[in-house]
Each structure stands twice: as C-alpha cells, then as structure tokens.
Amino acid sequence: QVQLVESGGGLVQPGGSLRLSCAASGNIFSHYAMGWYRQAPGKQRELVALVTAGGSTNYADSVQGRFTISRDNAKNTVYLQMDSLKPEDTAVYYCHARRTLSTYVYEYWGQGTQVTVSS
C-alpha cells in the first residue's frame, strides 16, 4: 500500500511559479512511475507530467517547457515545478503512482491540491 500526500498548491498570478510536492509512504517508492494529473471544473482528468522509475520524463504539450517533474528517491518525493503559469493551468492537481508487476497493476492517487492562477 502506498499513500500519497500532495502539498504546495495555492493562488498565484499569471506568469508566476509554484512547486508541488508529493510525499509517498513505503520503502519501494523508487519502483513506481510517478505522475501529476490535473482536473479542471467540467473537464476530464488529464496527465500533466510523468517520471518513470528509470528517470525518463514526459509532458503534456500544454505544459512542455514550462513545467518540470523530478523525483528524489531518498526522500520518497516527487515534485512538479510550474513556471510561467497561465489561467488555464487552474485545476486540482493529483499525484499518481503506478507499478506493473507481472500481470498486476498497482496504482495509487493522492487527495489533490488546488492550483488557481488568477490576477
């Protein structure tokens, strides 16, 4: 079982920055691919950024060049640095952990943290 706790959300002006953190319980954090998803009102949840267990990263086109995902396996934490924020980045951001072991898929979600970009 993995528990994920996000922090770092808040209100920021357009063009500003925020850094989200997601702390994971357990001692096998390094085996999981970690991702950040977001869900805006009336929209489906979408993948924002992903970092694999091996450290490879992938980003949604809408955030490429503005957001950076990173992980610190020693601290069981994944981060999302968000720069040049836009009003359309406003959403609840969720941390996600996923691991495939043989035929089993293990995945967990955090409770979400609100990010509001507004002047």
Side-chain angles (χ1 to χ4, degrees):
Q1 186 78 9
V2 174
Q3 291 185 327
L4 305 174
V5 179
E6 301 103 332
S7 61
L11 173 65
V12 64
Q13 291 186 344
S17 298
L18 280 177
R19 188 175 83 153
L20 305 183
S21 300
C22 172
S25 65
N27 58 3
I28 55 173
F29 172 81
S30 62
H31 295 183
Y32 282 78
M34 301 298 299
W36 287 96
Y37 288 72
R38 67 186 181 188
Q39 188 166 19
K43 295 188 176 181
Q44 289 188 332
R45 191 173 296 190
E46 62 174 358
L47 176 65
V48 175
L50 173 73
V51 56
T52 67
S56 299
T57 58
N58 192 29
Y59 298 91
D61 289 344
S62 59
V63 307
Q64 182 76 45
R66 299 187 297 121
F67 290 11
T68 304
I69 190 171
S70 61
R71 65 189 301 159
D72 185 337
N73 290 338
K75 295 182 178 180
N76 282 9
T77 302
V78 62
Y79 304 98
L80 184 68
Q81 177 66 41
M82 305 185 293
D83 298 318
S84 301
L85 282 160
K86 304 175 181 180
E88 50 264 43
D89 295 317
T90 296
V92 178
Y93 283 70
Y94 297 91
C95 181
H96 178 255
R98 179 185 174 98
R99 180 185 184 191
T100 300
L101 193 62
S102 184
T103 60
Y104 294 97
V105 177
Y106 300 89
E107 60 179 337
Y108 306 93
W109 292 93
Q111 82 286 354
T113 185
Q114 176 70 47
V115 171
T116 302
V117 184
S118 175
S119 55

